[in-house]
Amino acid sequence: MAYVNVRGKRIFFEEEGVGESLVMVHGAGQDTLSWRFNVPFFSRYYRCIAVDLPGHGKSYLTTAYPIRRTEEFAEFVAEFLQAMGIARTILMGHSMSGAICLMVAANHPEMVKGVVCVDGAGYTAKGTVSYNDAILDMAELNPTEWFESNFRTLCGPNTSKERIEEIAFDVRKCAPEVAISDLRAFSSLDMRPLLGRIRCPVVLVAGEYDWSVRPASVERTGQELQCPKELVFLQGVGHFPHTEQPEIFNERVHAAMGNLKLLP
Amino acid sequence: MLIESVRLERWLADASADATLREEARAWSALICLRSGAEEVRLSFKDGVLGKGAGDSTPAAIILEGDPAAWAEVFGGLSLNRAVRELKIGVKGNVREAMKNWRTLWLLFELAHQGGE
């Protein structure tokens, strides 16, 4: 079993492959399992390390309450890298964690060689992701079923029913208080002032049918980045391209990483 | 018009025949009101079976409200979650009851999409 202590608390990670590291951070309500179709591919090139954020999967909480701010998640990721002895890495994050990885790159440029931001954006505050306080308060009454029904309808039309069932099943395992805290973090993010500070290459991934982090939001994030970047637009998929259509995702993202000289 | 009667009948039949929804709603009794301005369609769940709700002055437990265009989108395939997040459909009345049974409500409206096919 692979655990490391961060802030004195047990943090779980999965590791596969050797060489330069690629640290993978799951999205809201999820855990390392969300990278199960990607680690076997990327571990042919990198030392892949998928981490469970505090309170998710097999990781314990590192604070008294679940983290509710993207900034805190970003500091956790930086501390996790330190605890793992990783001085510099490529970060891959999905949705909420796409922004978390961008934030680590902005705040700790020496630690980040590149970022792959999967269906994430630098601005997901209430206006852009269709959340307001009333809807968040409503979701807090039953975050598990709210997340599950959201996730089911966030998949694209080409995604098999079986894969959608897997995505829905996986999110039901997240503790409700953690899930709603993720949602609060996600829906309060505005890191636009930080985007210009990012110097490392960034791959931005957008799913055609993602109505939560819309392709337009991803494109806007790309326009505000001053660093080398490449947008990977994936047709037929929704908010979970790495799980919905992993073969296409892996090949397209790998190619984009090559274009940005992020291959070992 | 909020929903055509032919489509409503088809929806009720589909919902009552759907094993997943019946299981979800097995122990739930609720009066649900779909509202658009002065127009209302009342539905009731009892022992997992969906039927037309009482048309009297009994207050509805759960009210889902939107304009006719929003309802047309919902019955045309827009998911209930997306409709709520995009502020096209509002959840009113006993919001707690609605959220505690959100998966059932969501499933119900997924069947509404199929009802028009």
Side-chain angles (χ1 to χ4, degrees), chain A residues 207-250:
Chain A
E208 180 184 14
Y209 287 89
D210 187 347
W211 56 266
S212 185
V213 181
R214 296 166 189 270
S217 297
V218 178
E219 284 173 25
R220 266 200 304 277
T221 300
Q223 287 161 6
E224 294 182 35
L225 287 167
Q226 306 299 312
C227 55
K229 68 226 169 193
E230 183 161 327
L231 175 66
V232 176
F233 181 73
L234 296 173
Q235 291 181 314
V237 300
H239 188 59
F240 312 93
H242 56 310
T243 313
E244 292 176 61
Q245 301 287 339
E247 297 82 9
I248 297 169
F249 172 89
N250 292 340

Short mmCIF file of all heavy atoms in Angstrom, two decimals, chain A residues 207-250:
data_model
loop_
_atom_site.label_atom_id
_atom_site.label_comp_id
_atom_site.label_asym_id
_atom_site.label_seq_id
_atom_site.Cartn_x
_atom_site.Cartn_y
_atom_site.Cartn_z
N GLY A 207 -14.15 19.04 -23.48
CA GLY A 207 -15.11 18.07 -24.03
C GLY A 207 -16.27 18.80 -24.68
O GLY A 207 -16.84 19.71 -24.10
N GLU A 208 -16.61 18.37 -25.87
CA GLU A 208 -17.63 19.07 -26.66
C GLU A 208 -18.94 19.23 -25.90
O GLU A 208 -19.60 20.28 -25.97
CB GLU A 208 -17.88 18.28 -27.96
CG GLU A 208 -18.92 18.91 -28.87
CD GLU A 208 -19.23 18.07 -30.09
OE1 GLU A 208 -18.85 16.87 -30.12
OE2 GLU A 208 -19.87 18.59 -31.02
N TYR A 209 -19.36 18.20 -25.19
CA TYR A 209 -20.68 18.22 -24.54
C TYR A 209 -20.61 18.56 -23.05
O TYR A 209 -21.55 18.30 -22.32
CB TYR A 209 -21.39 16.87 -24.74
CG TYR A 209 -21.86 16.69 -26.16
CD1 TYR A 209 -21.04 16.12 -27.11
CD2 TYR A 209 -23.12 17.13 -26.55
CE1 TYR A 209 -21.46 15.97 -28.42
CE2 TYR A 209 -23.56 16.99 -27.85
CZ TYR A 209 -22.72 16.40 -28.79
OH TYR A 209 -23.15 16.28 -30.08
N ASP A 210 -19.51 19.11 -22.62
CA ASP A 210 -19.39 19.50 -21.21
C ASP A 210 -20.18 20.79 -20.99
O ASP A 210 -19.78 21.86 -21.45
CB ASP A 210 -17.92 19.71 -20.84
CG ASP A 210 -17.72 19.94 -19.35
OD1 ASP A 210 -18.72 20.18 -18.65
OD2 ASP A 210 -16.57 19.89 -18.90
N TRP A 211 -21.31 20.68 -20.27
CA TRP A 211 -22.10 21.89 -20.02
C TRP A 211 -21.78 22.48 -18.65
O TRP A 211 -22.38 23.47 -18.25
CB TRP A 211 -23.59 21.62 -20.17
CG TRP A 211 -24.15 20.51 -19.33
CD1 TRP A 211 -24.32 19.20 -19.68
CD2 TRP A 211 -24.62 20.61 -17.97
NE1 TRP A 211 -24.84 18.48 -18.65
CE2 TRP A 211 -25.05 19.31 -17.59
CE3 TRP A 211 -24.73 21.64 -17.06
CZ2 TRP A 211 -25.56 19.04 -16.32
CZ3 TRP A 211 -25.24 21.37 -15.80
CH2 TRP A 211 -25.65 20.08 -15.44
N SER A 212 -20.84 21.89 -17.93
CA SER A 212 -20.46 22.45 -16.63
C SER A 212 -19.25 23.37 -16.81
O SER A 212 -19.33 24.56 -16.55
CB SER A 212 -20.14 21.32 -15.65
OG SER A 212 -19.89 21.84 -14.37
N VAL A 213 -18.14 22.80 -17.24
CA VAL A 213 -17.00 23.64 -17.65
C VAL A 213 -17.02 23.63 -19.17
O VAL A 213 -16.49 22.73 -19.82
CB VAL A 213 -15.66 23.10 -17.10
CG1 VAL A 213 -14.52 24.02 -17.52
CG2 VAL A 213 -15.70 22.98 -15.58
N ARG A 214 -17.67 24.62 -19.73
CA ARG A 214 -17.94 24.62 -21.17
C ARG A 214 -16.66 24.86 -21.96
O ARG A 214 -15.74 25.54 -21.48
CB ARG A 214 -18.95 25.73 -21.49
CG ARG A 214 -20.30 25.50 -20.86
CD ARG A 214 -21.14 26.76 -20.92
NE ARG A 214 -22.35 26.62 -20.14
CZ ARG A 214 -23.50 26.15 -20.62
NH1 ARG A 214 -23.58 25.83 -21.89
NH2 ARG A 214 -24.54 26.04 -19.84
N PRO A 215 -16.62 24.35 -23.18
CA PRO A 215 -15.45 24.60 -24.03
C PRO A 215 -15.10 26.08 -24.12
O PRO A 215 -13.91 26.44 -24.15
CB PRO A 215 -15.87 24.02 -25.38
CG PRO A 215 -16.82 22.91 -25.03
CD PRO A 215 -17.58 23.41 -23.82
N ALA A 216 -16.10 26.93 -24.13
CA ALA A 216 -15.83 28.37 -24.21
C ALA A 216 -15.04 28.86 -22.99
O ALA A 216 -14.17 29.74 -23.11
CB ALA A 216 -17.13 29.15 -24.33
N SER A 217 -15.34 28.30 -21.81
CA SER A 217 -14.60 28.68 -20.59
C SER A 217 -13.16 28.21 -20.67
O SER A 217 -12.24 28.91 -20.23
CB SER A 217 -15.26 28.07 -19.35
OG SER A 217 -16.56 28.56 -19.18
N VAL A 218 -12.97 27.02 -21.24
CA VAL A 218 -11.60 26.50 -21.40
C VAL A 218 -10.83 27.37 -22.39
O VAL A 218 -9.67 27.74 -22.15
CB VAL A 218 -11.65 25.02 -21.86
CG1 VAL A 218 -10.23 24.49 -22.08
CG2 VAL A 218 -12.39 24.16 -20.85
N GLU A 219 -11.51 27.73 -23.47
CA GLU A 219 -10.85 28.58 -24.49
C GLU A 219 -10.47 29.93 -23.89
O GLU A 219 -9.39 30.45 -24.16
CB GLU A 219 -11.77 28.78 -25.69
CG GLU A 219 -11.84 27.56 -26.59
CD GLU A 219 -12.88 27.71 -27.68
OE1 GLU A 219 -13.21 28.85 -28.05
OE2 GLU A 219 -13.39 26.67 -28.15
N ARG A 220 -11.36 30.50 -23.10
CA ARG A 220 -11.06 31.80 -22.46
C ARG A 220 -9.85 31.70 -21.56
O ARG A 220 -9.01 32.60 -21.52
CB ARG A 220 -12.27 32.30 -21.66
CG ARG A 220 -13.19 33.23 -22.45
CD ARG A 220 -14.06 34.06 -21.52
NE ARG A 220 -14.85 33.24 -20.63
CZ ARG A 220 -16.02 32.69 -20.98
NH1 ARG A 220 -16.51 32.88 -22.18
NH2 ARG A 220 -16.70 31.96 -20.12
N THR A 221 -9.78 30.59 -20.84
CA THR A 221 -8.61 30.37 -19.97
C THR A 221 -7.34 30.35 -20.81
O THR A 221 -6.32 30.97 -20.46
CB THR A 221 -8.75 29.05 -19.18
OG1 THR A 221 -9.92 29.14 -18.37
CG2 THR A 221 -7.55 28.78 -18.30
N GLY A 222 -7.41 29.67 -21.94
CA GLY A 222 -6.26 29.61 -22.84
C GLY A 222 -5.86 30.99 -23.34
O GLY A 222 -4.66 31.30 -23.44
N GLN A 223 -6.85 31.83 -23.63
CA GLN A 223 -6.55 33.17 -24.13
C GLN A 223 -5.84 34.02 -23.07
O GLN A 223 -5.07 34.92 -23.39
CB GLN A 223 -7.84 33.86 -24.57
CG GLN A 223 -8.40 33.29 -25.87
CD GLN A 223 -9.87 33.62 -26.07
OE1 GLN A 223 -10.46 34.38 -25.30
NE2 GLN A 223 -10.47 33.05 -27.11
N GLU A 224 -6.12 33.74 -21.81
CA GLU A 224 -5.51 34.54 -20.73
C GLU A 224 -4.15 34.02 -20.31
O GLU A 224 -3.42 34.70 -19.59
CB GLU A 224 -6.47 34.61 -19.55
CG GLU A 224 -7.73 35.39 -19.89
CD GLU A 224 -8.69 35.53 -18.72
OE1 GLU A 224 -8.21 35.66 -17.59
OE2 GLU A 224 -9.91 35.50 -18.96
N LEU A 225 -3.81 32.81 -20.74
CA LEU A 225 -2.48 32.27 -20.41
C LEU A 225 -1.43 32.91 -21.32
O LEU A 225 -1.65 33.03 -22.53
CB LEU A 225 -2.47 30.74 -20.59
CG LEU A 225 -3.22 29.91 -19.55
CD1 LEU A 225 -3.38 28.47 -20.04
CD2 LEU A 225 -2.49 29.93 -18.21
N GLN A 226 -0.32 33.28 -20.75
CA GLN A 226 0.77 33.89 -21.54
C GLN A 226 1.86 32.88 -21.88
O GLN A 226 2.87 33.23 -22.48
CB GLN A 226 1.41 35.04 -20.73
CG GLN A 226 0.43 36.08 -20.24
CD GLN A 226 -0.29 36.78 -21.38
OE1 GLN A 226 0.34 37.22 -22.32
NE2 GLN A 226 -1.61 36.85 -21.28
N CYS A 227 1.67 31.64 -21.50
CA CYS A 227 2.70 30.60 -21.66
C CYS A 227 2.42 29.78 -22.93
O CYS A 227 1.37 29.93 -23.54
CB CYS A 227 2.65 29.70 -20.43
SG CYS A 227 1.01 29.00 -20.15
N PRO A 228 3.36 28.91 -23.32
CA PRO A 228 3.06 27.99 -24.42
C PRO A 228 1.86 27.11 -24.05
O PRO A 228 1.77 26.64 -22.91
CB PRO A 228 4.34 27.14 -24.53
CG PRO A 228 5.39 27.93 -23.83
CD PRO A 228 4.72 28.72 -22.78
N LYS A 229 0.96 26.92 -24.99
CA LYS A 229 -0.25 26.16 -24.65
C LYS A 229 -0.82 25.50 -25.89
O LYS A 229 -0.53 25.92 -27.02
CB LYS A 229 -1.30 27.07 -24.02
CG LYS A 229 -1.88 28.11 -24.96
CD LYS A 229 -1.93 29.46 -24.32
CE LYS A 229 -2.27 30.51 -25.36
NZ LYS A 229 -2.04 31.88 -24.89
N GLU A 230 -1.61 24.49 -25.65
CA GLU A 230 -2.32 23.84 -26.76
C GLU A 230 -3.68 23.38 -26.27
O GLU A 230 -3.80 22.80 -25.19
CB GLU A 230 -1.51 22.64 -27.28
CG GLU A 230 -2.18 21.99 -28.49
CD GLU A 230 -1.23 21.12 -29.31
OE1 GLU A 230 -0.02 21.46 -29.38
OE2 GLU A 230 -1.70 20.12 -29.87
N LEU A 231 -4.70 23.65 -27.07
CA LEU A 231 -6.06 23.24 -26.73
C LEU A 231 -6.38 21.93 -27.45
O LEU A 231 -6.22 21.83 -28.66
CB LEU A 231 -7.05 24.33 -27.13
CG LEU A 231 -8.53 23.98 -26.94
CD1 LEU A 231 -8.88 23.82 -25.46
CD2 LEU A 231 -9.42 25.04 -27.57
N VAL A 232 -6.82 20.95 -26.68
CA VAL A 232 -7.27 19.68 -27.25
C VAL A 232 -8.79 19.64 -27.12
O VAL A 232 -9.33 19.58 -26.01
CB VAL A 232 -6.63 18.49 -26.49
CG1 VAL A 232 -7.19 17.16 -27.03
CG2 VAL A 232 -5.11 18.52 -26.61
N PHE A 233 -9.47 19.72 -28.24
CA PHE A 233 -10.93 19.71 -28.23
C PHE A 233 -11.40 18.30 -28.62
O PHE A 233 -11.07 17.81 -29.69
CB PHE A 233 -11.47 20.74 -29.23
CG PHE A 233 -12.97 20.80 -29.27
CD1 PHE A 233 -13.69 21.38 -28.23
CD2 PHE A 233 -13.67 20.29 -30.34
CE1 PHE A 233 -15.06 21.43 -28.26
CE2 PHE A 233 -15.05 20.33 -30.39
CZ PHE A 233 -15.75 20.91 -29.34
N LEU A 234 -12.13 17.67 -27.72
CA LEU A 234 -12.54 16.28 -27.95
C LEU A 234 -14.04 16.22 -28.25
O LEU A 234 -14.86 16.58 -27.40
CB LEU A 234 -12.19 15.43 -26.73
CG LEU A 234 -10.69 15.31 -26.44
CD1 LEU A 234 -10.43 14.58 -25.13
CD2 LEU A 234 -9.96 14.60 -27.58
N GLN A 235 -14.34 15.76 -29.44
CA GLN A 235 -15.73 15.70 -29.87
C GLN A 235 -16.44 14.49 -29.27
O GLN A 235 -15.83 13.44 -29.05
CB GLN A 235 -15.80 15.64 -31.39
CG GLN A 235 -15.36 16.95 -32.04
CD GLN A 235 -15.44 16.89 -33.54
OE1 GLN A 235 -15.01 15.90 -34.14
NE2 GLN A 235 -15.98 17.93 -34.14
N GLY A 236 -17.71 14.65 -29.02
CA GLY A 236 -18.55 13.53 -28.61
C GLY A 236 -18.47 13.18 -27.14
O GLY A 236 -19.18 12.29 -26.67
N VAL A 237 -17.60 13.87 -26.40
CA VAL A 237 -17.48 13.56 -24.97
C VAL A 237 -17.95 14.74 -24.12
O VAL A 237 -18.07 15.87 -24.60
CB VAL A 237 -16.04 13.17 -24.55
CG1 VAL A 237 -15.57 11.95 -25.31
CG2 VAL A 237 -15.09 14.33 -24.75
N GLY A 238 -18.20 14.46 -22.87
CA GLY A 238 -18.67 15.49 -21.97
C GLY A 238 -17.58 15.93 -21.00
O GLY A 238 -16.46 16.25 -21.41
N HIS A 239 -17.92 15.88 -19.71
CA HIS A 239 -17.04 16.44 -18.68
C HIS A 239 -15.92 15.48 -18.26
O HIS A 239 -15.03 15.88 -17.53
CB HIS A 239 -17.91 16.80 -17.47
CG HIS A 239 -17.18 17.56 -16.41
ND1 HIS A 239 -16.56 18.77 -16.63
CD2 HIS A 239 -16.96 17.27 -15.09
CE1 HIS A 239 -16.01 19.20 -15.51
NE2 HIS A 239 -16.23 18.31 -14.56
N PHE A 240 -16.01 14.22 -18.70
CA PHE A 240 -15.03 13.22 -18.22
C PHE A 240 -14.32 12.55 -19.41
O PHE A 240 -14.37 11.32 -19.55
CB PHE A 240 -15.73 12.15 -17.38
CG PHE A 240 -16.65 12.70 -16.33
CD1 PHE A 240 -17.99 12.87 -16.60
CD2 PHE A 240 -16.17 13.04 -15.08
CE1 PHE A 240 -18.85 13.39 -15.64
CE2 PHE A 240 -17.02 13.57 -14.11
CZ PHE A 240 -18.36 13.74 -14.40
N PRO A 241 -13.66 13.31 -20.25
CA PRO A 241 -13.09 12.71 -21.47
C PRO A 241 -12.11 11.58 -21.19
O PRO A 241 -12.04 10.61 -21.95
CB PRO A 241 -12.40 13.89 -22.16
CG PRO A 241 -12.24 14.94 -21.13
CD PRO A 241 -13.36 14.74 -20.16
N HIS A 242 -11.36 11.70 -20.09
CA HIS A 242 -10.35 10.67 -19.77
C HIS A 242 -11.00 9.35 -19.36
O HIS A 242 -10.35 8.31 -19.41
CB HIS A 242 -9.41 11.17 -18.68
CG HIS A 242 -10.10 11.60 -17.42
ND1 HIS A 242 -11.17 12.47 -17.39
CD2 HIS A 242 -9.89 11.27 -16.12
CE1 HIS A 242 -11.56 12.66 -16.14
NE2 HIS A 242 -10.81 11.95 -15.36
N THR A 243 -12.24 9.39 -18.94
CA THR A 243 -12.95 8.17 -18.55
C THR A 243 -13.95 7.76 -19.63
O THR A 243 -14.15 6.58 -19.88
CB THR A 243 -13.71 8.39 -17.22
OG1 THR A 243 -12.84 9.03 -16.29
CG2 THR A 243 -14.19 7.08 -16.63
N GLU A 244 -14.56 8.76 -20.27
CA GLU A 244 -15.57 8.45 -21.29
C GLU A 244 -14.95 7.81 -22.54
O GLU A 244 -15.45 6.84 -23.06
CB GLU A 244 -16.32 9.73 -21.68
CG GLU A 244 -17.19 10.31 -20.57
CD GLU A 244 -17.81 11.62 -21.01
OE1 GLU A 244 -18.57 11.63 -21.99
OE2 GLU A 244 -17.54 12.67 -20.37
N GLN A 245 -13.89 8.43 -23.04
CA GLN A 245 -13.22 7.94 -24.26
C GLN A 245 -11.71 7.94 -24.02
O GLN A 245 -10.96 8.73 -24.61
CB GLN A 245 -13.55 8.86 -25.43
CG GLN A 245 -15.03 9.00 -25.75
CD GLN A 245 -15.62 7.76 -26.40
OE1 GLN A 245 -14.90 6.95 -26.96
NE2 GLN A 245 -16.93 7.60 -26.31
N PRO A 246 -11.23 7.06 -23.12
CA PRO A 246 -9.82 7.13 -22.71
C PRO A 246 -8.82 6.92 -23.84
O PRO A 246 -7.76 7.55 -23.84
CB PRO A 246 -9.70 6.03 -21.64
CG PRO A 246 -10.88 5.17 -21.80
CD PRO A 246 -11.96 6.01 -22.38
N GLU A 247 -9.16 6.07 -24.81
CA GLU A 247 -8.18 5.80 -25.89
C GLU A 247 -7.91 7.09 -26.67
O GLU A 247 -6.75 7.43 -26.96
CB GLU A 247 -8.70 4.71 -26.83
CG GLU A 247 -8.90 3.34 -26.17
CD GLU A 247 -10.21 3.22 -25.41
OE1 GLU A 247 -11.07 4.14 -25.53
OE2 GLU A 247 -10.38 2.24 -24.67
N ILE A 248 -8.99 7.79 -27.01
CA ILE A 248 -8.84 9.05 -27.77
C ILE A 248 -8.15 10.09 -26.89
O ILE A 248 -7.23 10.79 -27.34
CB ILE A 248 -10.22 9.56 -28.24
CG1 ILE A 248 -10.85 8.54 -29.19
CG2 ILE A 248 -10.11 10.93 -28.90
CD1 ILE A 248 -12.31 8.80 -29.50
N PHE A 249 -8.58 10.18 -25.64
CA PHE A 249 -7.98 11.14 -24.72
C PHE A 249 -6.48 10.92 -24.59
O PHE A 249 -5.67 11.85 -24.73
CB PHE A 249 -8.65 11.02 -23.34
CG PHE A 249 -7.98 11.82 -22.25
CD1 PHE A 249 -8.37 13.13 -22.00
CD2 PHE A 249 -6.97 11.27 -21.47
CE1 PHE A 249 -7.75 13.87 -20.99
CE2 PHE A 249 -6.34 12.01 -20.46
CZ PHE A 249 -6.74 13.31 -20.23
N ASN A 250 -6.09 9.67 -24.34
CA ASN A 250 -4.67 9.38 -24.11
C ASN A 250 -3.81 9.78 -25.32
O ASN A 250 -2.78 10.44 -25.17
CB ASN A 250 -4.48 7.89 -23.81
CG ASN A 250 -5.07 7.48 -22.48
OD1 ASN A 250 -5.30 8.32 -21.61
ND2 ASN A 250 -5.36 6.20 -22.31
#
